Amino acid sequence: MLRVLGVLAALMLWVGSACAASEPPLGPHKARLLLTRAGFSPSDADVSTYSALTHAGAVDQLLAGVRTSAATPAPVWIEERFVPPRELRAMTDDARRAEIQKQVRMGLDLRGWWLREMVNSPSPLTERMTLFWHNHFVSAQPKVRYTQLMYRQNVLLRQHALGRFDQLLHEVAKDPAMLIYLDAASSRRGAPNENFAREVMELFTLGAGHYREDDIRQAARAFTGWSIDLDSGQYTFRRLQHDGGEKTVLGQTGNLDGDAVLDVLLAQPATAEFIVRKLWREFVSPQPDEGRVRSIATAFRNGWNIAVPVRALLLQPEVVARDIDNALVKSPAELVVGFLRQSGGELTRPVAAAVSIAGMGQNLFSPPNVRGWPGGEAWINTQTLLARKAFLERGLSDRTVAETSIDEPMATSMKDDDTPRRRLQMLEQSTSVRIDTEAWLKRAGMAPERVAIPASRSKLEQMLLVVPPTAATGEGVLGLDALRATLLDPAYQLK
Amino acid sequence: MKRRVFLTSSGALLSCATLPAWAVLSTPRLLILLELRGGNDSLNTVVPIEEGAYFDLRPRLALKPDAVARFAGAPALHPSLAPLENLWRDGQMAILQGVGYPLPNLSHFRSIEIWDTASDSQQFLQTGWLTRAVDRQPAFASLSADGVVIGAADLGPLSGGARAVALNDPARFARQARLASADGAASRGVLAHVLRVESDIVRAGAEVRPDAIFKTEFPRGALGVAIQHAAGIAATGKVSVLRLTVPGFDTHQNQAGIHANLLRAVADAVVTLRAALTEHGVWDRTLILTYSEFGRRPRENQSGGTDHGTAGAMFAFGPHVRAGVHGEAPSLRSLDEVGNLRHTVDFRRVYASVLENWWQLPSERILQRRFEPLNFIA
């Protein structure tokens, strides 16, 4: 019965697009809103391409462009050998320190690599979904340590970003970074570690309130034996550490292993609803509509194709009609990447930009805890709002600095005896982008040093803001000052 | 607009008629919260070495009776806490035993939410307990900000409406504050939140300046930097709450060394804060309180660590604490069905004591019902 309903719901969602032919084209305003929600603030070229499409046609085009791998060449160090923990322990202090420093450098490089992909990817939606899964199936480098494993997890998340959720769940549960992050790697028969079992239910599938403590304890037994081969850094199953006894999880009894438990979790209606609700907050509005969530979740469960709920959500009317009540807060990555994409700017120092994003509260590959970044209003507090504004201001003002320091990022400003903390702070506060403000302003019919006429200013505001600016600006403002005022307006933090 | 402001503040004045004069006229005393994030292993903090069960449950992790720190008249403490001995001897340290709540939740996030909002286990509140405490209190309104949060982005007990500032580097904060403007119009939704943060920045940027100079030397490391900022802000006398977060207490694996380092850093931080705040004449009006979302499971796991538990011990420091042990350590012989401790003191009794005995605020409205203050503040 449920299956039939699922098929029906899926059909209805697709029928929506079949009727699309009679819909009017989006036009530039709605196209900009859709592209901002489904990716990052778009370039003018993308806006004009999508303006001519209907809402459904545009969403289908976005989904047709989805990728399963990054366009940016992989970092060179991914081939670096995995140095097993016991080998690390056997090293001299100096050698070990050097190895750890290498991992830290690789970690910074990894952040820069992903940021480049976000800025340059032909499919921004792919990167947004990869970010979404990174914030869902959380692993963080301070605990995982091995940068290669964090990279591999990122590749896995992108591969399934809009693929099948059931497959993604099974694979991510055996992902080495995840095994380390949630202590599964050291959980064994007789003394299971409950960390993974708890988080997989609370945060990855069901959500709080849909299981009991006993389900966690029983499931933890099922996951025993899932481990890592310490020589290769790959997943391995250790039969001798696996608890093969009978368990009962959410009413299902048997000699359940880890995969069987994941299937039990997938069979619960709460799982699809939990994911769809989270996707709603990512793409549609701060308050999910429970009725629509349930019908989309029903379609989702039938085949677990992630593109099904993403498509349905991007087709919601809220996505192309912005008012203050359905506005969302841009994440730090969205703020920075969107700024670059819409200005046509260049990411001159990806690592420094990634460190700036970390200063805004989103240290990529290192969410604060297994729940991930809470997002929404929590992105904005006194500290992070200032970090955002400081970044935007630097982007506009330090043009000459950016041009002279591309090749020697740190040489002139950093000394050998600077502490790592100090070095990071300097990176965070340095210029990492190059923006051609003149070309940008020209698209709104303005020039940096010329007084902006009201019509041009409102054009600029339409290009940059999804809700009207909060602060009124005076007459006789020069173009560059108008641009700065618009970017520093609180409304620029919203999408 | 002016008229409404006037009515609100006169209403607030009337409702405070029963409060002592200082609460209305002078600035509230300072509360410094030290959050041990991740779930501190209480049993290896205040150590039940007289219970045989402790050694049975922890064959690898139990601290040896000859290794613990012994202060005169105090229960055994982790050796890393030895620097606290002077505070104990001077009658400025209280140990609050067995603090937790009924129907314990073992999720980090949910449990800290319960602590931060002072809710029941199965109740969801939107505001932090300190947000409710400072709400409509003229004495707090006269400050530059209700609270400052250092070392974490979330506002915890100050979430949901308090004028709280999260910052890691106050000097930089003051420099950058010029980027904010406070003239945005009233609004709704997430935009209203952004605008509120802007005006908090403007005010705090103008007034919370950690210009104080200290002779006290601060420890190295992230926590040392954080307490230096905290001490600088405390010296301004312009805030009533500081919360510092010390991460890393989620010791599922290889706990022994990690936990020893963490407790050492906490002990050093408290000792340093005392010295620094004494230097600026602020210590006399300071209360330091440690807390954690839960304790850890009495039985150690196979990874040389411990899993999520329930009740735990808290510490209170300052010249106005009633020195000694308050509450009772839970028995290791009557664990709950998961094998966790049964709490003996509801955490809201600790909060009630802070509200009533430290700030002279009626606690019932803030905590939703009557909790008997634990009475650890003189």
Side-chain angles (χ1 to χ4, degrees):
Chain A
M1 180 61 190
L2 264 180
R3 196 172 170 80
V4 173
L5 276 178
V7 172
L8 272 177
L11 272 175
M12 280 156 66
L13 292 166
W14 287 101
V15 167
S17 77
C19 304
S22 58
E23 271 183 55
L26 281 171
H29 177 61
K30 288 184 173 182
R32 187 174 282 116
L33 293 178
L34 171 67
L35 292 171
T36 305
R37 282 291 173 92
F40 306 97
S41 302
S43 68
D44 292 338
D46 283 343
V47 171
S48 73
T49 307
Y50 281 83
S51 295
L53 305 175
T54 63
H55 189 178
V59 170
D60 286 340
Q61 178 131 334
L62 287 168
L63 287 169
V66 160
R67 304 176 58 91
T68 53
S69 62
T72 308
V76 286
W77 44 257
I78 58 163
E79 300 300 339
E80 288 258 345
R81 199 176 66 88
F82 177 90
V83 182
R86 71 178 119 72
E87 202 174 307
L88 267 180
R89 279 194 294 272
M91 285 178 177
T92 65
D93 285 355
D94 282 348
R96 194 183 315 113
R97 207 170 296 125
E99 183 60 33
I100 290 168
Q101 273 169 7
K102 192 169 83 186
Q103 287 289 340
V104 170
R105 273 198 306 277
M106 283 158 54
L108 283 170
D109 196 47
L110 178 64
R111 287 158 173 79
W113 170 82
W114 193 7
L115 201 54
R116 280 168 62 200
E117 180 66 13
M118 289 187 217
V119 172
N120 300 318
S121 173
S123 172
L125 175 60
T126 304
E127 295 315 303
R128 277 288 302 283
M129 283 304 295
T130 307
L131 257 173
F132 177 84
W133 294 125
H134 174 46
N135 198 33
H136 185 77
F137 296 114
V138 168
S139 301
Q141 194 175 11
K143 178 151 184 186
V144 175
R145 286 179 184 237
Y146 294 99
T147 309
Q148 298 98 314
L149 300 187
M150 294 305 298
Y151 169 77
R152 270 196 247 158
Q153 185 178 73
N154 185 266
V155 168
L156 176 71
L157 297 177
R158 186 174 291 95
Q159 188 193 338
H160 296 288
L162 284 123
R164 290 179 55 127
F165 178 76
D166 50 352
Q167 216 174 333
L168 176 59
L169 176 66
H170 278 274
E171 289 195 26
V172 94
K174 293 178 185 132
D175 174 71
M178 180 64 75
L179 291 166
I180 295 176
Y181 184 64
L182 290 180
D183 302 321
S186 68
S187 181
R188 46 184 73 95
R189 183 174 57 176
N193 189 310
E194 292 171 9
N195 212 1
F196 180 74
R198 177 182 310 283
E199 310 308 3
V200 77
M201 292 191 205
E202 179 180 343
L203 301 171
F204 299 170
T205 57
L206 302 171
H210 294 278
Y211 53 86
R212 291 167 309 130
E213 280 295 316
D214 192 51
D215 293 316
I216 290 174
R217 283 193 296 275
Q218 304 263 324
R221 292 173 49 215
F223 289 114
T224 51
W226 287 24
S227 193
I228 297 177
D229 181 286
L230 290 179
D231 291 318
S232 64
Q234 304 282 3
Y235 166 81
T236 186
F237 179 67
R238 298 186 196 282
R239 190 165 307 281
L240 292 176
Q241 292 177 5
H242 177 67
D243 178 343
E246 189 176 272
K247 306 135 194 129
T248 303
V249 177
L250 294 160
Q252 299 271 353
T253 304
N255 295 342
L256 305 172
D257 63 9
D259 282 311
V261 167
L262 294 179
D263 287 332
V264 169
L265 301 179
L266 285 165
Q268 298 281 321
T271 296
E273 288 178 18
F274 183 66
I275 305 293
V276 169
R277 214 171 279 124
K278 198 163 179 178
L279 282 165
W280 182 293
R281 290 200 193 89
E282 182 75 18
F283 291 114
V284 183
S285 75
Q287 283 301 331
D289 176 307
E290 282 302 315
R292 285 185 274 170
V293 163
R294 271 194 297 275
S295 76
I296 294 169
T298 307
F300 185 25
R301 285 182 68 198
N302 177 54
W304 290 115
N305 181 357
I306 298 163
V308 168
V310 168
R311 180 174 191 282
L313 290 167
L314 290 177
L315 282 174
Q316 298 302 316
E318 287 93 335
V319 173
V320 292
R322 189 70 58 255
D323 64 39
I324 286 174
D325 292 315
N326 67 28
L328 295 168
V329 179
K330 291 174 185 165
S331 69
E334 286 174 280
L335 182 86
V336 168
V337 175
F339 176 62
L340 282 161
R341 281 185 170 261
Q342 72 184 163
S343 66
E346 191 188 336
L347 181 62
T348 50
R349 288 166 53 203
V351 171
V355 175
S356 291
I357 290 173
M360 300 174 202
Q362 191 178 26
N363 187 3
L364 297 171
F365 296 100
S366 190
N369 56 50
V370 62
R371 194 181 246 186
W373 297 286
E377 287 189 2
W379 282 129
I380 303 284
N381 64 39
T382 45
Q383 186 179 330
T384 58
L385 183 57
L386 287 180
R388 286 168 176 242
K389 293 191 174 209
F391 174 86
L392 296 169
E393 208 201 26
R394 277 199 309 276
L396 290 189
S397 49
D398 293 351
R399 272 180 296 169
T400 47
V401 178
E403 276 156 21
T404 55
S405 59
I406 300 163
D407 297 324
E408 302 173 88
M410 296 304 120
T412 50
S413 54
M414 273 194 185
K415 301 181 195 71
D416 281 346
D417 56 353
D418 279 334
T419 60
R421 181 184 307 279
R422 168 96 185 113
R423 281 165 183 256
L424 275 182
Q425 201 175 49
M426 291 172 80
L427 265 183
E428 182 189 343
Q429 294 169 40
S430 64
T431 304
S432 52
V433 298
R434 180 168 39 203
I435 307 294
D436 185 344
T437 47
E438 198 165 338
W440 196 4
L441 281 165
K442 199 171 171 187
R443 297 201 289 274
M446 297 162 83
E449 312 272 336
R450 211 171 59 217
V451 172
I453 59 164
S456 304
R457 293 195 57 179
S458 63
K459 168 131 204 239
L460 184 71
E461 284 162 7
Q462 280 164 23
M463 283 164 60
L464 301 186
L465 307 178
V466 297
V467 295
T470 59
T473 37
E475 299 287 305
V477 176
L478 298 178
L480 188 60
D481 291 332
L483 178 60
R484 180 178 291 115
T486 311
L487 291 170
L488 294 184
D489 192 285
Y492 188 70
Q493 305 302 329
L494 308 184
K495 62 177 179 182
Chain B
M1 185 63 200
K2 278 218 170 73
R3 187 180 140 81
R4 207 165 72 222
V5 169
F6 172 75
L7 286 176
T8 318
S9 52
S10 61
L13 279 171
L14 284 176
S15 70
C16 298
T18 56
L19 295 181
W22 72 260
V24 180
L25 298 176
S26 67
T27 50
R29 299 197 277 185
L30 177 64
L31 172 67
I32 300 181
L33 293 171
L34 271 182
E35 182 196 9
L36 314 185
R37 184 168 288 191
N40 176 42
D41 183 20
S42 250
L43 289 175
N44 275 18
T45 305
V46 183
V47 192
I49 49 165
E50 61 293 336
E51 286 206 61
Y54 170 66
F55 299 94
D56 299 339
L57 291 162
R58 300 196 159 182
R60 289 159 77 191
L61 281 181
L63 295 163
K64 306 228 164 16
D66 58 352
V68 294
R70 301 306 308 245
F71 306 162
L77 298 173
H78 191 288
S80 290
L81 298 178
L84 298 174
E85 184 156 17
N86 283 342
L87 278 148
W88 177 264
R89 209 176 35 221
D90 298 345
Q92 302 206 9
M93 171 173 173
I95 298 169
L96 321 182
Q97 285 278 39
V99 187
Y101 55 88
L103 302 172
N105 192 299
L106 301 193
S107 145
H108 292 291
F109 319 105
R110 182 55 195 148
S111 196
I112 195 62
E113 201 168 270
I114 289 165
W115 276 81
D116 282 343
T117 61
S119 71
D120 291 331
S121 178
Q122 287 163 336
Q123 176 195 29
F124 292 83
L125 296 181
Q126 302 296 325
T127 54
W129 69 282
L130 291 173
T131 298
R132 299 198 296 277
V134 301
D135 183 32
R136 286 175 291 156
Q137 295 296 340
F140 288 91
S142 69
L143 299 167
S144 305
D146 293 321
V148 173
V149 166
I150 300 174
D154 70 276
L155 301 177
L158 290 157
S159 61
R163 295 172 307 135
V165 183
L167 52 91
N168 286 325
D169 181 346
R172 204 171 130 212
F173 179 86
R175 275 201 309 282
Q176 289 185 342
R178 65 185 168 80
L179 293 174
S181 71
D183 60 354
S187 187
R188 301 194 310 273
V190 290
L191 186 57
H193 172 74
V194 181
L195 291 171
R196 199 162 49 235
V197 172
E198 292 244 347
S199 66
D200 289 349
I201 292 172
V202 171
R203 182 156 179 207
E207 299 176 3
V208 184
R209 292 173 174 279
D211 299 332
I213 297 181
F214 294 93
K215 290 193 209 72
T216 305
E217 217 171 291
F218 290 87
R220 294 167 63 89
L223 185 57
V225 174
I227 60 169
Q228 183 162 11
H229 294 328
I233 293 164
T236 66
K238 303 245 179 175
V239 295
S240 55
V241 177
L242 284 161
R243 188 199 62 176
L244 291 110
T245 296
V246 191
F249 284 85
D250 195 16
T251 48
H252 286 281
Q253 292 197 75
N254 307 328
Q255 172 177 307
I258 300 169
H259 194 231
N261 290 340
L262 287 166
L263 289 183
R264 177 79 200 195
V266 169
D268 287 344
V270 171
V271 169
T272 310
L273 276 173
R274 180 195 189 183
L277 298 186
T278 302
E279 207 185 299
H280 279 262
V282 189
W283 180 247
D284 194 45
R285 40 195 302 279
T286 298
L287 170 68
I288 299 179
L289 197 59
T290 71
Y291 68 112
S292 194
E293 63 264 45
F294 40 60
R296 304 195 76 80
R297 195 151 314 162
R299 184 180 294 284
E300 67 186 31
N301 65 23
Q302 294 286 342
S303 326
T306 48
D307 291 324
H308 299 182
T310 50
M314 299 169 74
F315 293 115
F317 305 98
H320 298 280
V321 303
R322 280 185 210 277
V325 178
H326 302 262
E328 206 179 307
S331 161
L332 288 173
R333 301 225 165 268
S334 95
L335 302 175
D336 69 12
E337 60 284 1
V338 183
N340 273 322
L341 300 171
R342 296 178 195 275
H343 78 282
T344 57
V345 172
D346 193 296
F347 71 110
R348 287 162 292 189
R349 293 185 58 202
V350 178
Y351 291 176
S353 193
V354 172
L355 295 167
E356 296 191 8
N357 308 131
W358 189 239
W359 281 327
Q360 272 74 44
L361 294 173
S363 68
E364 212 167 309
R365 172 185 64 85
I366 298 162
L367 301 178
Q368 306 176 88
R369 61 177 184 274
R370 180 73 195 156
F371 287 94
E372 193 54 38
L374 186 60
N375 227 355
F376 66 95
I377 299 166

